[in-house]
Amino acid sequence: MEPVTYVLFGATGDLAKRKIYPALYNLFVDGKLPDSFSLIGLGRRDWSDEYFQTSVEQSLRNFSRRELVNPELVQSFISKFRYSVLDIGRTEDYKKLLGIIEERESTLGLTPNRLFYLSVGPEYFTTIASNIAESGLGSTAGWKRLVIEKPFGHDLQSARELNEQLSKSFTEDEIFRIDHYLGKPMVQNLEVLESANPIIQALWSNRYIANVQITASETVGVEERAGYYDHVGAVRDMFQNHMLQMLMMLAIHLPHNSNAQEVRKHKKQVMEALIPLSKSDVRANVIRAQYAEGSLGGNPVKGYRAEPGIAAASMNDTYIAAKIQIDDFFWRGVPFYIRTGKRMKEKSTRIVVEFKEALNQASSVINGGAPNLLHIEISPNEGIMLQLNTKENGELKPVQIQLHESSKEIPEAYENLIYDALVGNPTFFAHWDEVELAWAWVQPILDAFQDNQVPLHSYEAGSNGPAEADALLAEDGFHWWFDTKDESKEKQQTKRKDEEYAY
Ligand SMILES: NC(=O)C1=CN([C@@H]2O[C@H](COP(=O)(O)OP(=O)(O)OC[C@H]3O[C@@H](n4cnc5c(N)ncnc54)[C@H](OP(=O)(O)O)[C@@H]3O)[C@@H](O)[C@H]2O)C=CC1
Ligand SMILES: O=C1O[C@H](COP(=O)(O)O)[C@@H](O)[C@H](O)[C@H]1O
């Protein structure tokens, strides 16, 4: 692996502590960091190298998935870390930084490859990028890369402006936009699930698939992020990025052993084939909602508007469900139902592919059969299950066959992504084309929400979301699969669906 200097803006912040240092440590232990590796942490706080190293060690103790059993290993890891005070708006700090980096590169004999990782608020991205260019930090004889965190813009126009500004200092090939869902091992698996499995490939189209459901439900509420979240809502926080990325990853049809360019090309084609919603279509295809008070795990939970820092009359969405159609050869006529929400009954990110009924569907349903399902559990648990029908005591009975279970040692999304950024593999980073197309598709939804053209429904904290999201599927004769519900309701749902299939 090529030598690299990892220049970390926001080294004193929360993301660095909780995700970046533990991910780097795990890569180090797994032998996946270059032998010649140096990290320079940056922030306004007046920290020494020693204090910084101690704080990194502490973050490993608090957040690493590995126990720190070998003090020499930890020491060897943190010895690669240095700290420098830098105020993002002060140009002289970048000159000083250039001196420090050049000195480290020369002392360690490093090829001057520089990875600039912006773990800071998005309002700083353009200032940092232009200061990197102007100070000479970006004029290196080695390669340079810019890694940025979401959010990438607030709407289509601001995203375009941000991209235009960044592209004055970095080329598209040098920009690595993190969407941490793309780092989840199961999301990365979606790419090969279809292309490397002829059985699935044969079934992967509108001929056999009735609908696809993508869910990311969270039990957490707004937490301490009121200032951010009350301005973005579920539509910008999760839907525009993570949810649409999962849709792309599921819907692409790739040649076997595709490279990064092909993956990105096919993802873009999926986005181009999404049937656009006009502002007036939004009401019929999108459900927005906000959590009201309720209970989770037996404990009472506040409603969204009673959370600290949230406006008492906030119209912000904490839940969104949408019906999306892809107008291409493979998916024409297959509805994709996508939903995400906070303060739901359980933490689960999953995809369920529901297959069409067999030709003799009436008899299979009357005898107790159920649709075949491919259930991909993405996180926090991992698994792939296939639901088939078997016969028991003369009656059909759905059984779930476990095809893949989580291994204990799953690398964190950030480990996968940081490693890919270090080796320059862009496959699982969001290309600008995808980001722009995603904003363009979402923009009418933002406009309709803004103008209150879509009702803001309510759902009880600790529930599976608003009844209107169930109705969105029921209109097409479907229901959400694998929601944890009380049994009587689950039975009713199965009955209703069976009746529909039996005509
Ligand atoms: N935390 C998380 O789990 C996630 C965060 N993100 C994104 O990552 C980014 C960072 O988030 P997070 O770590 O939580 O934020 P924090 O507020 O915890 O940290 C912000 C960092 O930015 C630095 N900073 C702020 N202003 C300046 C300045 N003027 N000059 C130099 N440094 C500055 C701070 O350093 P100092 O105070 O020392 O100046 C600090 O290190 C954001 O874009 C966020 O949206 C994305 C996904 C998850
Ligand atoms: O990006 C974000 O993701 C988290 C959910 O991530 P997960 O890996 O735990 O599923 C979400 O809580 C947060 O609001 C959002 O900004």
Side-chain angles (χ1 to χ4, degrees):
M1 228 170 134
E2 292 179 287
V4 63
T5 301
Y6 195 113
V7 186
L8 180 59
F9 292 79
T12 57
D14 179 68
L15 182 69
K17 279 183 214 162
R18 288 199 304 117
K19 298 288 180 192
I20 299 174
Y21 303 137
L24 284 169
Y25 180 67
N26 286 324
L27 291 175
F28 174 70
V29 174
D30 290 342
K32 289 167 96 178
L33 278 192
D35 294 335
S36 304
F37 175 84
S38 159
L39 185 143
I40 318 277
L42 305 166
R44 284 166 303 180
R45 280 165 242 196
D46 193 12
W47 286 5
S48 65
D49 288 343
E50 293 70 31
Y51 188 88
F52 180 47
Q53 291 176 350
T54 309
S55 107
V56 172
E57 186 175 345
Q58 192 54 46
S59 89
L60 303 185
R61 291 195 193 290
N62 293 342
F63 301 111
S64 176
R65 66 180 166 84
R66 286 202 161 94
E67 282 194 42
L68 305 190
V69 284
N70 185 342
E72 279 165 26
L73 206 60
V74 176
Q75 196 48 45
S76 158
F77 174 68
I78 62 172
S79 70
K80 299 171 185 301
F81 286 60
R82 296 288 182 277
Y83 183 81
S84 181
V85 175
L86 176 140
D87 190 316
I88 288 166
R90 229 170 30 213
T91 47
E92 58 270 31
D93 288 354
Y94 293 78
K95 293 273 180 213
K96 187 182 81 181
L97 176 62
L98 177 60
I100 294 171
I101 291 177
E102 284 177 342
E103 196 207 306
R104 289 283 287 164
E105 285 169 348
S106 139
T107 312
L108 301 170
L110 299 182
T111 315
N113 299 320
R114 296 170 190 164
L115 183 129
F116 300 99
Y117 194 118
L118 310 196
S119 180
V120 294
E123 64 277 20
Y124 296 121
F125 291 173
T126 52
T127 311
I128 295 177
S130 71
N131 281 338
I132 287 172
E134 278 165 28
S135 62
L137 275 162
S139 314
T140 167
W143 51 252
K144 67 175 190 303
R145 291 179 194 139
L146 182 75
V147 181
I148 48 179
E149 285 287 340
K150 70 167 253 254
F152 196 82
H154 189 70
D155 54 16
L156 179 59
Q157 193 190 329
S158 61
R160 281 181 174 153
E161 284 163 10
L162 173 58
N163 197 58
E164 204 180 310
Q165 288 300 321
L166 290 183
S167 55
K168 288 180 185 162
S169 311
F170 290 87
T171 63
E172 176 62 28
D173 288 351
E174 292 172 331
I175 301 176
F176 289 68
R177 294 176 198 83
I178 288 208
D179 181 308
H180 81 273
Y181 270 55
L182 286 177
K184 291 183 189 266
M186 253 331 201
V187 174
Q188 300 198 343
N189 238 331
L190 293 175
E191 180 206 9
V192 291
L193 190 66
E194 182 262 348
S195 67
N197 293 298
I199 293 180
I200 293 189
Q201 205 167 54
L203 300 174
W204 217 239
S205 74
N206 51 11
R207 189 158 176 206
Y208 298 107
I209 292 177
N211 74 81
V212 177
Q213 304 176 8
I214 306 180
T215 298
S217 65
E218 298 189 79
T219 51
V220 293
V222 63
E223 297 181 295
E224 288 87 39
R225 300 163 75 212
Y228 156 78
Y229 194 80
D230 207 32
H231 290 105
V232 299
V235 62
R236 292 181 174 91
D237 186 48
M238 293 287 292
F239 188 88
Q240 184 274 342
N241 37 73
H242 305 322
M243 305 308 288
L244 290 180
Q245 282 293 343
M246 284 195 283
L247 169 95
M248 288 178 236
M249 292 299 290
L250 185 94
I252 39 173
H253 282 79
L254 284 175
H256 190 37
N257 281 336
S258 295
N259 59 25
Q261 282 67 34
E262 279 163 326
V263 172
R264 286 166 145 205
K265 184 177 107 188
H266 285 82
K267 281 170 73 185
K268 184 179 169 194
Q269 283 170 355
V270 170
M271 286 309 295
E272 285 169 339
L274 294 196
I275 298 183
L277 294 183
S278 68
K279 201 169 152 189
S280 55
D281 293 334
V282 175
R283 195 185 169 103
N285 292 281
V286 178
I287 305 297
R288 69 164 168 164
Q290 193 182 78
Y291 64 83
E293 65 178 2
S295 74
L296 256 164
N299 299 314
V301 173
K302 283 182 187 157
Y304 178 70
R305 290 178 184 173
E307 298 272 21
I310 300 296
S314 171
M315 292 293 287
N316 192 33
D317 49 296
T318 63
Y319 177 99
I320 178 169
K323 174 178 167 180
I324 299 184
Q325 306 256 15
I326 303 174
D327 188 23
D328 72 8
F329 173 78
F330 295 104
W331 296 112
R332 194 162 297 130
V334 179
F336 282 70
Y337 303 105
I338 300 191
R339 63 176 168 169
T340 179
K342 291 209 180 278
R343 281 285 189 238
M344 308 264 288
K345 196 176 199 99
E346 61 175 342
K347 171 79 180 161
S348 167
T349 300
R350 61 174 179 271
I351 298 177
V352 179
V353 178
E354 177 175 337
F355 292 92
K356 289 183 175 169
E357 287 290 295
L359 293 179
N360 60 346
Q361 56 178 297
S363 70
S364 83
V365 169
I366 288 163
N367 287 320
N372 289 162
L373 303 172
L374 182 68
H375 172 180
I376 304 160
E377 196 66 31
I378 290 170
S379 65
N381 301 315
E382 275 195 348
I384 302 180
M385 279 83 71
L386 190 60
Q387 176 171 290
L388 301 175
N389 287 309
T390 55
K391 205 166 187 181
E392 204 177 273
N393 300 328
E395 292 233 317
L396 289 179
K397 186 185 160 213
V399 289
Q400 291 220 336
I401 301 167
Q402 190 86 24
L403 303 175
H404 168 94
E405 274 179 285
S406 27
S407 72
K408 280 199 184 119
E409 277 297 306
I410 312 170
E412 279 254 5
Y414 273 87
E415 279 170 60
N416 288 333
L417 293 173
I418 290 174
Y419 177 76
D420 285 348
L422 288 169
V423 297
N425 179 356
T427 312
F428 296 113
F429 292 86
H431 190 282
W432 165 242
D433 293 343
E434 298 155 22
V435 175
E436 185 180 34
L437 286 162
W439 276 121
W441 195 86
V442 161
Q443 189 62 48
I445 302 181
L446 302 180
D447 296 340
F449 283 9
Q450 172 78 25
D451 294 352
N452 278 327
Q453 286 191 6
V454 179
L456 179 68
H457 301 290
S458 173
Y459 61 103
E460 215 177 289
S463 71
N464 287 313
E468 289 77 7
D470 297 342
L472 184 71
L473 276 70
E475 278 166 20
D476 299 336
F478 302 120
H479 66 80
W480 297 106
W481 287 102
F482 305 117
D483 278 353
T484 317
K485 287 206 163 96
D486 60 271
E487 246 185 38
S488 54
K489 200 164 173 198
E490 187 70 50
K491 273 188 192 143
Q492 271 172 20
Q493 277 197 332
T494 314
K495 192 162 164 274
R496 187 185 65 213
K497 180 115 184 75
D498 289 355
E499 280 159 1
E500 279 152 7
Y501 279 131
Y503 304 105

